Amino acid sequence: MKLSHMISLPATVIAILITTSALADNQRRIDVDSKVVTKHKANINGQRFNYTVATGTQPVWNDKGNAVATLQYTYYTRDKVDDRTTRPLLISFNGGPGSASVWMHLAYTGPRVLKIDDEGYPIQPYGVKDNPYSVLDIADIVYVNPVNTGYSRVLENDKGELPSQAKQKEMFFGVNADIKYLAEWLNTFVSRTERWRSPKFLIGESYGTTRVSGLAHELQNSQWMYINGVVLVSPTDIGIKRDGPIKAANRLPYFAATAWYHKALSADLQAKDLNELLPEVEQFTVNKLIPALTKGGFIDTDEKRRIITKMAHYAGLSEKFVEQNNLDIPTQFFWKELLRERGQTIGRLDSRYLGIDKRDAGESPDYWAELTSWLHSFTPAINHYLREELNYKTDIKYNLFGNVHPWERSGNNTGENLRLAMAQNPYLNVMIQSGYFDGATNYFDAKYTLWQLDPSGKMKDRLSFKGYRSGHMMYLRHSDLERSNNDLRKFIIHALPKKEQPAKY
């Protein structure tokens, strides 16, 4: 984008760069390199302060130095900070792949969050409100939208042609391509914002955990940018396999948590608090269920009957249903079966949410009750917020979910690369945050990933887990919004080295 002139804007707006060739030819394009700066006030964690927001786009360049895409970002900095060399920078990604950064931006760590009720359900009129729990008090934050999410887009060449689908996949749409170009982009962003000396933290949600696990290694080894912390929110497997008996068994603690929430357990289990129930189910899963499942069809009849009885008891299901599934209950069956007699289904990403199907019969729900509820709230809020509060205006559609498929999933060594990054960098700490009612990336899978991340056990003092009584986006529940931000705040502060503390073993 070329700077043509400054325009008189409301007092909150500092500057906007507006003139582009796109205006001249009336084509619907995003500006390749742009920035709008606005000023705001906050009351966060008991502190009143001013902050600045830079909303814009920054190019992705190829090896020849040509812009091949542009990424839209939103960058928050607290005002009146004399020395940013000691102030953390939190770099935030969501997942999908193909999901915009809107979720954590407008519901978790940002200074403005959705207008929703205390359990996360939409309220009209849609919009945003102040977030008194944001970590902006102790860290600056940048939310990044990868290619084809948010306003980020692939660019045409000088002939007005987009790369072929195969070429776009090679450049952007795969585990390793995604990590490589984002690391290059972050190098430029950190240089432009003069944050090379700041402590840096990566946070990713869902597929974003694959992204930031890989970025921790890529930034250190290809950009020579060392990270202080990585936060994995509702993590994927990050390349750490959980097949066979492990995959089947690890669902049970999630089943138990969800059945407990919906009061579908027997009176003896329902009387227990979740923090009392889940360790019991976890111990059964590790010590009894996994060994039983490894025996497959050759398990002793009496042992199989005992396992069926216990599984049904913990999952709120009939023994017949467990037996018919050979102790391996697919999650989509569970979402349909648990409340079948009540004529309701439960959500995938957050199983607190209820749905209704055309037929009570069947093996899986007709739709995802939680996702339709969230799209109610997020879509109008992000469009309103960017345009009317941050003054970033474009005719490009904001893609909550962008076209990035088919995604190349081979060569996913992100978990091992995160372990290697930790080994190389004594400063690097990792925290996992998971909701107990998340059926897509269940919390016990997350614990298993944490346990397997460093088989040596030599770095377990730098690994931590936090669980919440909500789902995939645990921060949508008001009490967990406060808890999760406080846990993140403590993690960031704890991961900062003491004065003059060297990075060595």
Side-chain angles (χ1 to χ4, degrees):
M1 175 181 287
K2 299 175 182 178
L3 175 59
S4 107
H5 55 276
M6 304 297 289
I7 295 179
S8 176
L9 291 168
T12 55
V13 180
I14 303 302
I16 180 169
L17 311 182
I18 63 159
T19 301
T20 82
S21 59
L23 293 178
D25 58 20
N26 294 319
Q27 293 196 32
R28 191 186 189 196
R29 296 173 181 158
I30 190 68
D31 298 325
V32 176
D33 207 340
S34 64
K35 183 165 67 173
V36 177
V37 179
T38 54
K39 288 286 190 181
H40 308 266
K41 298 180 184 293
N43 188 346
I44 295 171
N45 200 27
Q47 301 178 48
R48 293 180 181 275
F49 57 87
N50 296 333
Y51 64 94
T52 299
V53 186
T55 310
T57 52
Q58 178 188 291
V60 175
W61 289 291
N62 62 16
D63 293 340
K64 297 179 180 179
N66 299 318
V68 291
T70 189
L71 303 191
Q72 182 248 326
Y73 66 89
T74 311
Y75 176 43
Y76 294 81
T77 53
R78 180 170 175 169
D79 292 355
K80 295 184 179 179
V81 174
D82 295 330
D83 182 9
R84 294 198 190 271
T85 63
T86 59
R87 182 167 171 80
L89 173 63
L90 181 63
I91 303 165
S92 182
F93 293 96
N94 275 96
S99 176
S101 67
V102 56
W103 313 99
M104 290 198 292
H105 184 179
L106 277 196
Y108 183 11
T109 53
R112 300 280 278 164
V113 290
L114 297 174
K115 286 182 179 176
I116 50 179
D117 78 358
D118 285 350
E119 292 299 317
Y121 292 91
I123 295 174
Q124 289 186 330
Y126 304 116
V128 291
K129 60 185 178 181
D130 289 338
N131 178 10
Y133 313 118
S134 167
V135 293
L136 186 58
D137 60 322
I138 58 102
D140 296 332
I141 313 168
V142 59
Y143 300 92
V144 184
N145 284 314
V147 170
N148 279 3
T149 72
Y151 294 140
S152 301
R153 295 292 189 272
V154 181
L155 298 177
E156 298 172 350
N157 61 21
D158 55 9
K159 297 179 181 178
E161 300 169 339
L162 287 172
S164 67
Q165 289 297 314
K167 187 63 177 178
Q168 289 185 40
K169 180 178 179 179
E170 178 187 330
M171 293 191 295
F172 308 117
F173 304 140
V175 174
N176 294 304
D178 179 71
I179 290 165
K180 185 177 185 299
Y181 88 81
L182 286 172
E184 290 280 351
W185 188 92
L186 285 171
N187 185 308
T188 303
F189 179 83
V190 168
S191 295
R192 285 186 174 189
T193 55
E194 300 180 349
R195 300 305 297 263
W196 271 99
R197 294 193 292 167
S198 301
K200 299 172 192 67
F201 292 79
L202 299 170
I203 183 170
E205 179 181 78
S206 196
Y207 184 84
T209 61
T210 300
R211 179 173 283 137
V212 298
S213 294
L215 275 171
H217 181 268
E218 182 73 10
L219 287 170
Q220 287 183 188
N221 289 273
S222 296
Q223 307 298 329
W224 311 286
M225 184 187 298
Y226 282 71
I227 305 300
N228 288 70
V230 175
V231 182
L232 308 178
V233 179
S234 305
T236 62
D237 59 20
I238 60 172
I240 297 173
K241 300 302 181 186
R242 304 185 295 249
D243 296 327
I246 297 295
K247 182 178 181 179
N250 277 6
R251 301 179 191 129
L252 184 61
Y254 152 72
F255 290 164
T258 300
W260 177 89
Y261 176 82
H262 289 291
K263 295 180 171 53
L265 296 177
S266 59
D268 61 319
L269 295 182
Q270 206 64 57
K272 297 181 179 183
D273 184 73
L274 193 62
N275 290 339
E276 181 185 4
L277 172 64
L278 291 184
E280 178 183 326
V281 182
E282 291 175 13
Q283 287 299 309
F284 170 77
T285 300
V286 172
N287 297 324
K288 300 292 184 181
L289 183 54
I290 292 175
L293 286 170
T294 61
K295 299 173 185 177
F298 288 80
I299 187 173
D300 176 78
T301 302
D302 290 339
E303 181 185 4
K304 183 175 183 179
R305 176 50 52 191
R306 289 193 298 271
I307 295 295
I308 288 172
T309 300
K310 205 70 169 175
M311 282 187 70
H313 189 52
Y314 283 141
L317 302 169
S318 70
E319 291 187 22
K320 181 178 181 180
F321 184 80
V322 175
E323 184 173 17
Q324 287 174 332
N325 284 281
N326 298 319
L327 316 183
D328 181 358
I329 303 165
T331 46
Q332 67 268 26
F333 286 21
F334 177 75
W335 299 324
K336 183 77 172 183
E337 178 70 17
L338 181 67
L339 303 183
R340 193 188 296 269
E341 294 304 313
R342 302 183 197 176
Q344 294 172 319
T345 62
I346 58 176
R348 170 178 174 263
L349 292 161
D350 192 329
S351 295
R352 296 176 302 144
Y353 288 72
L354 298 174
I356 52 174
D357 281 359
K358 184 176 182 179
R359 296 181 178 88
D360 290 338
E363 296 181 344
S364 62
D366 291 348
Y367 66 100
W368 304 125
E370 79 293 343
L371 190 56
T372 55
S373 176
W374 296 343
L375 292 175
H376 255 290
S377 306
F378 280 94
T379 308
I382 189 63
N383 281 281
H384 158 79
Y385 181 61
L386 289 173
R387 295 181 66 86
E388 298 182 43
E389 292 198 18
L390 302 187
N391 213 59
Y392 194 85
K393 299 190 178 182
T394 174
D395 288 332
I396 292 292
K397 181 175 72 172
Y398 188 94
N399 285 338
L400 270 80
F401 301 105
N403 180 15
V404 302
H405 298 287
W407 190 265
E408 179 55 64
R409 296 181 181 273
S410 63
N412 182 358
N413 298 311
T414 53
E416 169 57 21
N417 286 342
L418 178 57
R419 184 207 64 79
L420 183 56
M422 290 183 70
Q424 294 170 341
N425 179 3
Y427 282 158
L428 182 51
N429 290 261
V430 173
M431 178 174 70
I432 287 178
Q433 296 181 299
S434 287
Y436 294 127
F437 310 127
D438 178 3
T441 59
N442 79 67
Y443 90 91
F444 199 62
D445 273 345
K447 279 192 172 183
Y448 180 84
T449 294
L450 189 75
W451 297 338
Q452 302 304 316
L453 187 61
D454 171 35
S456 75
K458 294 175 182 177
M459 297 187 291
K460 63 183 178 182
D461 61 328
R462 291 191 274 148
L463 297 165
S464 59
F465 175 89
K466 299 292 182 182
Y468 306 90
R469 298 187 183 207
S470 41
H472 195 71
M473 295 193 282
M474 68 283 170
Y475 40 79
L476 291 179
R477 181 170 176 256
H478 186 266
S479 59
D480 286 327
L481 173 67
E482 181 177 8
R483 271 198 61 215
S484 56
N485 271 291
N486 284 337
D487 287 338
L488 178 56
R489 183 178 287 105
K490 291 173 185 175
F491 172 78
I492 291 171
I493 293 171
H494 173 76
L496 295 175
K498 296 179 177 62
K499 189 175 182 179
E500 305 299 330
Q501 178 186 341
K504 69 175 185 178
Y505 291 113

